[in-house]
Amino acid sequence: MTQSHPRISKAVIPAAGLGTRFLPATKATPKEMLPVVDKPAIQYVVEEAVSAGLDDVLMITGRNKRPLEDHFDRNYELESALQKKGDAERLAKVQESSDLATMHYVRQGDPRGLGHAVLCAAPHVGNEPFAVLLGDDLIDPRDPLLQRMIDVQEQYGGSVVALMEVAPEQIHLYGCAAVEETEDSDVVKVSGLVEKPDPADAPSNYAIIGRYVLDPHVFDILRQTEPGRGGEIQLTDALQQLAEDEKVGGPVHGVVFKGRRYDTGDRGDYLRAIVRLACEREDLGPDFRTWLRSYVTEEM
């Protein structure tokens, strides 16, 4: 039976990472600002949150992340120059990011892991459920994963994680969930989680990807969580405690995602994401696909 739970209104986007896999490009430019076709990766993530009805967005930043704030702010000089030129199309694109959502920012300070970054959101979030979106995962807007997760959280309460089946030999790259089936084919109950297990020790091939809907009790657990793998405070460890004891903050469920996901945290996947999205653009796709076919044919 459907239960009544507080409506989610806030999204948290951790964006304090150093982007070391993309050096030297990220020496002075936040990795979240790297373009995916003609928009920075972080804008896709904010757009996803807004599409799910979450227009109160808190970004967890760090040193050298000021361009993130500038991107979602007004640029009056640029807007004035475009207006004088009569370039309405580009003016609309520039204003789009500043009109997306109500943006807030807080610095993480010490980079102590995802769990610590989420804990930095506690004063802003308060005592209500909230969503966490990681910037390395871009979810195609035609596959509304976050909205489905919010629906599941409203039905069951507690917390919800996004899961995706991966090849067993890849599970060591992700957090991994032990699961039990439910009446819904795309929803499982999570009975345990482990961060980046060896394939032989993994409880399943269900990997946690970068979307979470969390009960606020997670903050109390994170305050008591000791650094785990890599010397960081792991969000997975806190979710494990929630899964073990439903009385603390409700159950943990997973939404099994089978849609389109673009990983921009890896250089190869970042390039593939650009190619896929460019091919699907109405303004770029036809010419780009023609060139791509020709290029691949010549190279092969």
Side-chain angles (χ1 to χ4, degrees):
M1 183 170 63
T2 301
Q3 304 175 44
S4 177
H5 301 282
R7 175 68 188 176
I8 297 170
S9 63
K10 296 176 181 177
V12 174
I13 302 177
L18 298 176
T20 53
R21 285 181 289 182
F22 281 83
L23 286 171
T26 51
K27 178 181 178 181
T29 301
K31 68 172 183 176
E32 296 84 4
M33 289 300 297
L34 295 180
V36 179
V37 188
D38 55 3
K39 284 193 298 191
I42 195 66
Q43 184 170 333
Y44 289 88
V45 180
V46 174
E47 289 173 347
E48 180 187 351
V50 172
S51 294
L54 312 182
D55 58 2
D56 184 326
V57 178
L58 174 68
M59 203 168 289
I60 312 299
T61 67
R63 293 181 65 247
N64 300 325
K65 298 288 184 167
R66 182 61 184 269
L68 293 172
E69 299 183 32
D70 291 340
H71 180 70
F72 292 100
D73 199 358
R74 298 292 298 272
N75 186 327
Y76 292 103
E77 295 84 356
L78 177 58
E79 291 177 29
S80 177
L82 293 172
Q83 197 165 28
K84 289 177 180 178
K85 290 181 179 180
D87 196 338
E89 182 179 354
R90 287 189 173 87
L91 177 61
K93 290 181 178 180
V94 168
Q95 292 176 332
E96 181 182 15
S97 60
S98 57
D99 295 335
L100 268 176
T102 301
M103 302 294 298
H104 310 270
Y105 305 90
V106 63
R107 286 197 174 194
Q108 183 178 5
D110 295 330
R112 297 170 58 194
L114 177 58
H116 180 258
V118 170
L119 185 55
C120 291
H124 180 78
V125 169
N127 191 33
E128 58 185 89
F130 63 104
V132 175
L133 299 86
L134 304 190
D136 286 347
D137 282 329
L138 303 189
I139 304 298
D140 195 294
R142 293 168 293 184
D143 302 311
L145 170 62
L146 185 58
Q147 183 60 64
R148 177 58 176 151
M149 295 174 68
I150 291 172
D151 292 342
V152 170
Q153 198 279 337
E154 290 181 342
Q155 179 179 357
Y156 293 104
S159 299
V160 182
V161 299
L163 301 175
M164 200 167 191
E165 289 190 82
V166 300
E169 60 271 18
Q170 293 183 322
I171 196 65
H172 71 283
L173 301 172
Y174 300 87
C176 177
V179 303
E180 303 168 6
E181 293 184 356
T182 70
E183 296 179 355
D184 297 309
S185 60
D186 66 332
V187 179
V188 293
K189 185 174 182 181
V190 176
S191 57
L193 301 107
V194 59
E195 181 68 19
K196 297 182 179 179
D198 290 329
D201 300 326
S204 74
N205 66 330
Y206 283 109
I208 303 170
I209 58 175
R211 297 295 181 271
Y212 307 81
V213 176
L214 301 177
D215 183 274
H217 284 90
V218 74
F219 294 131
D220 295 329
I221 296 175
L222 286 170
R223 291 185 184 99
Q224 305 299 322
T225 300
E226 296 294 328
R229 189 181 182 94
E232 298 181 337
I233 297 175
Q234 299 290 348
L235 180 59
T236 305
D237 293 340
L239 288 169
Q240 167 66 21
Q241 292 191 44
L242 289 175
E244 288 177 345
D245 186 0
E246 295 184 14
K247 296 179 182 179
V248 175
V252 178
H253 285 84
V255 170
V256 180
F257 182 62
K258 296 182 179 180
R260 287 155 285 200
R261 165 182 173 255
Y262 311 109
D263 182 0
T264 60
D266 173 84
R267 288 175 299 175
D269 285 338
Y270 170 76
L271 294 174
R272 284 185 280 272
I274 293 174
V275 171
R276 289 173 183 169
L277 290 171
C279 284
E280 294 178 359
R281 288 267 295 262
E282 291 184 4
D283 57 337
L284 297 173
D287 288 342
F288 185 68
R289 288 194 299 269
T290 299
W291 173 83
L292 189 61
R293 291 191 192 99
S294 175
Y295 174 75
V296 171
T297 300
E298 291 174 3
E299 290 299 308
M300 295 297 289

